[in-house]
Amino acid sequence: MLINCVVYQDGSKLADIPISEISDYLDRPDTFVWVALQDATPAELEEMRQEFGLHELAVEDAQHGHQRPKIEEYGSSLFSVLHLVEPVPGDTSELHVGEVDIFTGSNYVLSVRNRSSISLLGVRARCEREPELLRHGSGFVLYALMDAIVDRYFPVIDSFETALETIERDIFTKGTARANIERLYELKGRVMVLKHAVAPLLEGASKLHGGRVPQICAGVQDYFRDVVDHLSRINALIDTMRDTIATAIQVNLAMATIEESEVTKRLAAWASIFAVWTAFAGVWGMNFEHMPELKWEYGYLIALSTILIACALLYWGFKRARWL
Amino acid sequence: MLINCVVYQDGSKLADIPISEISDYLDRPDTFVWVALQDATPAELEEMRQEFGLHELAVEDAQHGHQRPKIEEYGSSLFSVLHLVEPVPGDTSELHVGEVDIFTGSNYVLSVRNRSSISLLGVRARCEREPELLRHGSGFVLYALMDAIVDRYFPVIDSFETALETIERDIFTKGTARANIERLYELKGRVMVLKHAVAPLLEGASKLHGGRVPQICAGVQDYFRDVVDHLSRINALIDTMRDTIATAIQVNLAMATIEESEVTKRLAAWASIFAVWTAFAGVWGMNFEHMPELKWEYGYLIALSTILIACALLYWGFKRARWL
Amino acid sequence: MLINCVVYQDGSKLADIPISEISDYLDRPDTFVWVALQDATPAELEEMRQEFGLHELAVEDAQHGHQRPKIEEYGSSLFSVLHLVEPVPGDTSELHVGEVDIFTGSNYVLSVRNRSSISLLGVRARCEREPELLRHGSGFVLYALMDAIVDRYFPVIDSFETALETIERDIFTKGTARANIERLYELKGRVMVLKHAVAPLLEGASKLHGGRVPQICAGVQDYFRDVVDHLSRINALIDTMRDTIATAIQVNLAMATIEESEVTKRLAAWASIFAVWTAFAGVWGMNFEHMPELKWEYGYLIALSTILIACALLYWGFKRARWL
Amino acid sequence: MLINCVVYQDGSKLADIPISEISDYLDRPDTFVWVALQDATPAELEEMRQEFGLHELAVEDAQHGHQRPKIEEYGSSLFSVLHLVEPVPGDTSELHVGEVDIFTGSNYVLSVRNRSSISLLGVRARCEREPELLRHGSGFVLYALMDAIVDRYFPVIDSFETALETIERDIFTKGTARANIERLYELKGRVMVLKHAVAPLLEGASKLHGGRVPQICAGVQDYFRDVVDHLSRINALIDTMRDTIATAIQVNLAMATIEESEVTKRLAAWASIFAVWTAFAGVWGMNFEHMPELKWEYGYLIALSTILIACALLYWGFKRARWL
Amino acid sequence: MLINCVVYQDGSKLADIPISEISDYLDRPDTFVWVALQDATPAELEEMRQEFGLHELAVEDAQHGHQRPKIEEYGSSLFSVLHLVEPVPGDTSELHVGEVDIFTGSNYVLSVRNRSSISLLGVRARCEREPELLRHGSGFVLYALMDAIVDRYFPVIDSFETALETIERDIFTKGTARANIERLYELKGRVMVLKHAVAPLLEGASKLHGGRVPQICAGVQDYFRDVVDHLSRINALIDTMRDTIATAIQVNLAMATIEESEVTKRLAAWASIFAVWTAFAGVWGMNFEHMPELKWEYGYLIALSTILIACALLYWGFKRARWL
């Protein structure tokens, strides 16, 4: 589905044009065409391939979808795949992953957004408000799109950190180990989804600044370094989070073991107390004929007191040893 | 066993030829011979060695079989080893590993398929339908074979992910820890088989695009980059899967510990209740002569009620503390 | 908030100047302006951007704050972000993280300190006392600031080591596993805060000595290598500490398991002793008519002695086996 | 101890010579001397040092023995240390490690075998049967020795895999955890011995093919790549094996925990059944005067039935819950 | 404290000189001064700084002490920091760490030994006995000092291996888990101390041979490679040891779990046996009037036999199931 198709000259919007006129503008100097598609059909992609002379393999990738993020050079043009990661409304345990494929040549940008409700119209609006930057050409548009998509990762990682902190508050609370581990395991799954969006993109984007850089990006290297810096930050946070989750699972396992140990201690303490009680009662329940204490008037009282005092002493001892 | 032996010129099939005529075609420009063998005998390999002038070490490797995947340059020719990984019919816990050895020179391709039922005839058919691509020569045939083999890895990794998701559904179900861990351990074994097929190939194939590239592959670099991209994707999925399996085993261990802790709590709770019961009964079972309550008319009833009420209170207390 | 704004010539302070006069001094040879701001407002940053011609992206980063540490080149100028890590007074379990953004050009240094009570005035005083070093220009000021900030990391890591040693003293003490693990987990969190301050800075600062070095730092490379060396030391200590914490958690888990095992053994030993007692008492509590020992005069005494001797033997046996 | 000392010219054996004549042949073109020593004395090594002009540090290393595998260049000559790893007859839990030191110059090869019963005579015999290969000179002899030694690693790693598979068959069998872990720990020790032989050699040998290569090896690079490929394969197998052993130990730990959990459940179940039995018996063992059921004719029978039915119901319930 | 101060020319000792004459010899060709200090005061260091023109930062590092090992170039001179690691007499659980700072210029060597009782006089004596090596100049002295210090690491790592083997002998002995883990944890601490001495030095020393090498070391590269080889060996041993310690701790944890499981089984078995005993005794202790067996003459004998046979059968059953 075509979203829009616009020609820009010297950083300013020239005109909305129909697709068929694209080729008229491709040879003009300081001019570029910016086409945005959404959930493009094979026919639309084929049309684009012919208009812009896209490489067959890149078009195939865009058609198949479900690519890993990457930035590939085909001659002097770039093919970029980015993931759009967004929470699923009403389900905190799931992440929806969409995809944006961006074809960038020296005089065109074609973005194809797939399986995502995140609109990129704001990027175009912002670019048009800053003609002095848009004058950098198609490379700047690629940057602006990447920057907008990467910026969407921050609220996602923030939500992870909130979730992790919530779990960490419970981590040393007794009886929560099972629930904590469930939540940590599920959180780790979501963290890995973001990792798959970020890590390969970081690797690809690093080639757009510094040493040998594709011609398209040469003038806007500093901007791409800024994106790479954001991606590095997210990536470092993800790695710390994975490490923390692993430690937290281990700590919860330790907590469960310690809790069991405490339960066993209490079990042992009470078992001892009742064993003493039963042992005394058992002795005086024996049927020997010559058991003088059974005949004493206060025998029963003394017996009961002996039992209770013995048990109380044990209780006090266990209390002191912190077994109870 | 010879599958077929065909000469191609300018991307189109020229003729099926007997092996003895191969040398007649090797010096023609824009012409290459594509030979496919299956489970080749040493004699057949020796014949090929003489026809194409293959390097002795490469032929030895092909004869021995059971090589790790690799791509090696011998002068201007390439020797590639790839693994064919396929599920064993009727046994989900096993993977069958076959091997394809590909000798590629500037004017020939020789593929030898060993110990595998996966046919590669489809690759030849597809190549012949696209003469404009086949015109790239033997390098393109190497790409087509690699691409076909790597594409076979995707259903395998998909089956792993299905298996993992099935296990994950049970991971927090009580009493399943043993079975889960068995399944995870077995899944990890299969994942490692695929890892052994993918990781060394990824390493080898990375040298076929980018910097200095063997002459044969120079014109089809973009295609090899596509294969490398697929391999990277599979490799990243495998690594994530190994990580997830390790975490899942750890989580199951934690679940078993927690479950034990819960059983111990219930054991402790019931032990306490019956200990109280037995303690009271023991007291009134003692044989003291002066135990007035034994003579009361409702003594027995009161005793029973006392016991039951004490036990009920304990039960209610444990219920509240979630030990029962 | 402006802290101060001073012009230096040939390593000596020339004059305190108002911001509006900065541009008058920027073209003089061997002269540089050193401005220090604290918690700068957007308006102040905008003013600085115009005075010094700072790059828009760097200013944006300084405005947003909460950047990861980094050192970025914008043309011939440098933009550095460093973290100030300080303990929170009265709360040993928290670390406060402030930020210093430093813009360095060939003839100016602008430092912006955010969210931190650590004053950097001492750096300026020390620099002014050593004019022969300050003569190196703005690069030396950058070094002096970095050095002062990195020096602040040492007491932090020292406090970590003290904390770790305190925990290690308890690690093999019975009954401390839960508290130890809590303290280790919390310590690990603080270590990671310092790691986030140190690791990216180490990476960035490494580019300021050795191979290709920004023009500003060329004359003071040895000094930057010294900072890098300090950062490497801290980083190595952090990595060792993380490793030790992980091992310590594992050891505590093992201790908890072993402790449980010891409790179970004691439970089992006492249970056996009382079971023997109760078994004997049970036998002589049976109501058979023909139990001759019940009629013996010393039957009761013999019975009691038998029970006590049996229990004593058991006790002695368990004691010997170290179960009690 | 001198094994043999032979001169080769153009790939063919010229003559067995005494050591004293070595220097007569060292200057002839296309000629090299191949000396083999076993458990050489310092005097023999000193003699060799003078004959061939070996570097003092290399000779020292050969004298000390117990070096890590390595390949070092001294001027235009190479000093290689390789480990010979062989099973100890009659003791599957031990590996014997011998050492071969090889000095290779453009016109000589000196191999010194230490502390090992593995003979390398077969290498010389095979080389002499293939004069067209031996014509490559001393570099080929170095390859032939390395290849023979590395080939000996394969049966060792095969024996590890057999051992691991044997353990894996038991891994989910109840009651085998202790023995499994002992066997895994011991296997890991042996794996590390092989790792120490393989990993440094892989690193050293990698420098003998590809980029800048010592003059001696230049003509036989493809052969060294073959050795490196074998070493890579072994190294990858070792790494997988270490990973599998670690997982298997973890799985066995989990199995032990699960088994304990199952024992605890059975204990709890039986404890409950007998507690019910004892509770009933305790009630009817009380000495109240007014317990009407004690006087009923069928009281005893009813009591016994009640007890047995209660216990049977419990038994059935636990059976259903899979606790028994 | 000055140990000695000697001038060497062409590899031979020329004279012991007072510090004040050092400058007289620094300009002579093929001559170098070798000064050794111990626990130098700031004044002594300042004097040396002036005599040799040392870099201020290097002197500062030497004054502060407690540096991590490193090798830094200051212009054409080198500043090296090495750790002296020695066992504390009478305390096997501690390691003493001293420090040697070595300043090396083309015509001088200054070594400062701090906080260590290990004398380096032997190095000087050995150098003076080999004038043909000492002729290499100050670079060779640096090598000789490094070699002597690194050689001291071998007995330390040997003592670690002995300690580890002692622990490993106990690892599968019942009841030793706690002590083993304590010893492993403490051993790991000592291993990390050596790691901190070795790893950074390995990194620094690697730059003294191979590619671009400081002028001072150019003639003695082979010697430095030998030191690097020793360091690599120690480093590899340390890494294996850390890995083994981690596995051993995990195995001990598993052993503790398994031991607990065995104790639980025995507890369960004995509990069952006594529960049966008590259950029977309880039945015949009931007070029903119509319990015919109570009146039988041999009732008591039959009852006792029944109980004992039941218990014996249980005992035999548990014995067979290896629970007892």
Side-chain angles (χ1 to χ4, degrees), chain B residues 70 73 185 188 196 286 300, chain D residues 168 225 229 240 247 293:
Chain B
K70 61 183 170 185
E73 285 184 72
Y185 189 79
K188 180 162 182 187
H196 277 218
M286 293 195 298
Y300 181 44
Chain D
E168 281 183 327
R225 188 180 55 197
D229 186 59
T240 302
T247 306
E293 68 269 42

Side-chain angles (χ1 to χ4, degrees), chain B residues 92-256:
Chain B
T92 59
S93 71
E94 285 280 322
L95 284 177
H96 180 82
V97 179
E99 190 175 318
V100 178
D101 303 314
I102 309 174
F103 302 81
T104 323
S106 58
N107 45 9
Y108 65 88
V109 177
L110 164 61
S111 74
V112 186
R113 173 157 61 90
N114 290 316
R115 301 181 313 282
S116 173
S117 63
I118 297 180
S119 167
L120 297 171
L121 283 175
V123 178
R124 192 183 288 265
R126 217 168 327 120
C127 284
E128 292 178 353
R129 279 199 301 275
E130 304 184 309
E132 74 285 1
L133 293 174
L134 198 51
R135 195 167 292 147
H136 284 116
S138 57
F140 184 79
V141 174
L142 175 59
Y143 153 73
L145 286 165
M146 280 182 66
D147 190 49
I149 290 165
V150 169
D151 270 357
R152 299 292 177 104
Y153 297 158
F154 282 103
V156 176
I157 191 117
D158 284 352
S159 77
F160 292 170
E161 296 202 316
T162 309
L164 186 55
E165 278 164 21
T166 312
I167 299 171
E168 281 182 327
R169 264 201 297 277
D170 286 350
I171 213 170
F172 296 107
T173 309
K174 291 194 187 180
T176 58
R178 173 184 286 272
N180 289 342
I181 291 176
E182 273 198 63
R183 287 194 287 168
L184 286 166
Y185 189 79
E186 181 225 79
L187 178 58
K188 180 162 182 187
R190 277 183 291 154
V191 169
M192 291 315 284
V193 169
L194 190 59
K195 176 89 185 169
H196 277 218
V198 169
L201 186 59
L202 175 55
E203 189 191 317
S206 299
K207 291 182 232 141
L208 303 186
H209 78 94
R212 198 197 66 81
V213 160
Q215 189 55 32
I216 303 172
C217 309
V220 284
Q221 280 196 45
D222 286 349
Y223 291 91
F224 281 108
R225 187 179 57 198
D226 202 58
V227 169
V228 168
D229 187 58
H230 289 176
L231 284 168
S232 301
R233 182 139 56 108
I234 297 173
N235 203 42
L237 288 171
I238 287 175
D239 286 344
T240 302
M241 195 164 279
R242 287 173 64 191
D243 185 60
T244 306
I245 289 174
T247 307
I249 288 179
Q250 207 194 2
V251 164
N252 262 302
L253 171 53
M255 285 300 115

Side-chain angles (χ1 to χ4, degrees), chain E residues 4-26:
Chain E
N4 40 30
C5 173
V6 186
V7 182
Y8 296 86
Q9 193 166 29
D10 283 331
S12 301
K13 182 172 173 172
L14 205 66
D16 276 283
I17 56 169
I19 287 174
S20 53
E21 290 179 19
I22 287 175
S23 45
D24 302 348
Y25 292 90
L26 286 182

Side-chain angles (χ1 to χ4, degrees), chain A residues 218-256:
Chain A
V220 284
Q221 280 196 46
D222 286 348
Y223 291 90
F224 281 109
R225 188 180 56 196
D226 202 58
V227 168
V228 167
D229 186 58
H230 289 176
L231 285 168
S232 300
R233 181 139 56 107
I234 297 173
N235 203 43
L237 288 172
I238 287 175
D239 286 342
T240 302
M241 195 164 280
R242 287 173 63 191
D243 185 59
T244 307
I245 289 175
T247 306
I249 288 179
Q250 207 194 1
V251 164
N252 262 303
L253 170 54
M255 285 299 115

Side-chain angles (χ1 to χ4, degrees), chain C residues 265-267 269-270 273 314-315 318-319 321-324:
Chain C
K265 277 180 181 168
R266 296 179 73 174
L267 171 58
W270 283 114
I273 290 172
L314 270 178
Y315 180 82
F318 283 122
K319 202 81 186 176
R322 302 193 165 278
W323 283 41
L324 279 176

Side-chain angles (χ1 to χ4, degrees), chain E:
Chain E
M1 189 171 67
L2 180 75
I3 302 291
N4 40 30
C5 173
V6 186
V7 182
Y8 296 86
Q9 193 166 29
D10 283 331
S12 301
K13 182 172 173 172
L14 205 66
D16 276 283
I17 56 169
I19 287 174
S20 53
E21 290 179 19
I22 287 175
S23 45
D24 302 348
Y25 292 90
L26 286 182
D27 294 335
R28 296 205 197 171
D30 296 324
T31 306
F32 68 92
V33 182
W34 179 359
V35 185
L37 297 178
Q38 185 185 343
D39 297 307
T41 61
E44 286 173 328
L45 281 173
E46 176 58 24
E47 193 179 6
M48 290 298 151
R49 196 183 68 75
Q50 287 168 5
E51 288 290 334
F52 295 121
L54 307 175
H55 195 285
E56 175 202 13
L57 282 171
V59 174
E60 244 175 57
D61 280 352
Q63 245 163 43
H64 285 315
H66 299 288
Q67 301 296 311
R68 66 195 275 266
K70 61 181 171 187
I71 293 173
E72 289 181 344
E73 285 184 72
Y74 285 98
S76 66
S77 68
L78 284 177
F79 174 57
S80 319
V81 178
L82 291 94
H83 281 185
L84 284 163
V85 179
E86 46 186 327
V88 176
D91 180 355
T92 60
S93 71
E94 284 281 322
L95 285 178
H96 180 81
V97 179
E99 191 175 317
V100 179
D101 303 315
I102 309 173
F103 301 81
T104 324
S106 58
N107 44 9
Y108 67 87
V109 177
L110 164 61
S111 73
V112 186
R113 173 157 60 88
N114 290 315
R115 302 181 313 281
S116 173
S117 63
I118 297 179
S119 167
L120 298 171
L121 283 174
V123 178
R124 191 183 289 265
R126 217 167 328 121
C127 285
E128 291 178 354
R129 279 200 300 276
E130 305 183 310
E132 74 285 2
L133 292 175
L134 199 51
R135 194 167 290 145
H136 284 117
S138 57
F140 183 79
V141 174
L142 175 59
Y143 153 74
L145 287 166
M146 280 182 64
D147 190 48
I149 290 165
V150 170
D151 270 358
R152 300 291 177 103
Y153 297 157
F154 281 103
V156 176
I157 191 116
D158 285 351
S159 75
F160 293 170
E161 295 202 318
T162 310
L164 186 55
E165 277 163 23
T166 312
I167 299 171
E168 280 183 329
R169 264 200 298 277
D170 286 348
I171 212 170
F172 295 108
T173 310
K174 290 194 186 180
T176 59
R178 173 185 286 272
N180 290 341
I181 291 176
E182 271 197 66
R183 287 193 287 168
L184 287 166
Y185 188 77
E186 182 225 78
L187 179 59
K188 180 162 183 189
R190 278 183 290 154
V191 169
M192 292 314 285
V193 169
L194 190 60
K195 176 89 187 170
H196 277 219
V198 169
L201 186 60
L202 174 57
E203 191 191 316
S206 300
K207 291 182 230 140
L208 302 186
H209 78 96
R212 199 197 65 81
V213 160
Q215 189 56 32
I216 304 172
C217 309
V220 285
Q221 281 196 45
D222 287 347
Y223 291 90
F224 282 109
R225 188 180 55 196
D226 202 58
V227 168
V228 167
D229 187 58
H230 290 175
L231 285 167
S232 300
R233 181 138 56 107
I234 297 173
N235 203 42
L237 288 171
I238 288 175
D239 286 342
T240 302
M241 195 164 281
R242 288 173 65 191
D243 185 60
T244 306
I245 289 175
T247 306
I249 289 179
Q250 206 193 2
V251 164
N252 262 302
L253 170 54
M255 284 300 114
T257 301
I258 290 170
E259 219 171 292
E260 158 135 39
S261 181
E262 289 167 358
V263 171
T264 306
K265 275 180 181 168
R266 296 178 74 174
L267 170 59
W270 283 113
S272 300
I273 290 173
F274 281 105
V276 164
W277 180 306
T278 306
F280 275 108
V283 164
W284 287 311
M286 294 195 296
N287 296 321
F288 287 95
E289 282 190 356
H290 300 280
M291 295 173 70
E293 68 269 39
L294 296 185
K295 272 105 190 175
W296 298 347
E297 192 169 356
Y298 298 104
Y300 180 42
L301 258 180
I302 294 172
L304 273 189
S305 314
T306 310
I307 289 175
L308 290 173
I309 290 168
C311 290
L313 282 174
L314 271 177
Y315 180 83
W316 178 78
F318 283 122
K319 203 82 187 176
R320 238 183 104 203
R322 302 193 165 277
W323 283 41
L324 280 176

Side-chain angles (χ1 to χ4, degrees), chain D residues 199-251:
Chain D
L201 187 60
L202 175 57
E203 191 191 316
S206 299
K207 290 182 232 141
L208 303 185
H209 79 94
R212 198 196 66 80
V213 160
Q215 188 57 33
I216 303 171
C217 309
V220 285
Q221 281 196 45
D222 287 347
Y223 291 91
F224 281 109
R225 188 180 55 197
D226 201 58
V227 168
V228 168
D229 186 59
H230 290 176
L231 284 168
S232 300
R233 182 138 56 108
I234 296 173
N235 203 41
L237 287 172
I238 287 175
D239 286 343
T240 302
M241 195 165 279
R242 288 173 64 192
D243 185 60
T244 306
I245 289 175
T247 306
I249 288 179
Q250 206 194 3
V251 164

Side-chain angles (χ1 to χ4, degrees), chain D residues 70-84:
Chain D
K70 62 183 171 186
I71 294 172
E72 289 181 344
E73 285 184 72
Y74 285 98
S76 66
S77 69
L78 284 177
F79 174 57
S80 318
V81 178
L82 291 95
H83 281 186
L84 283 163

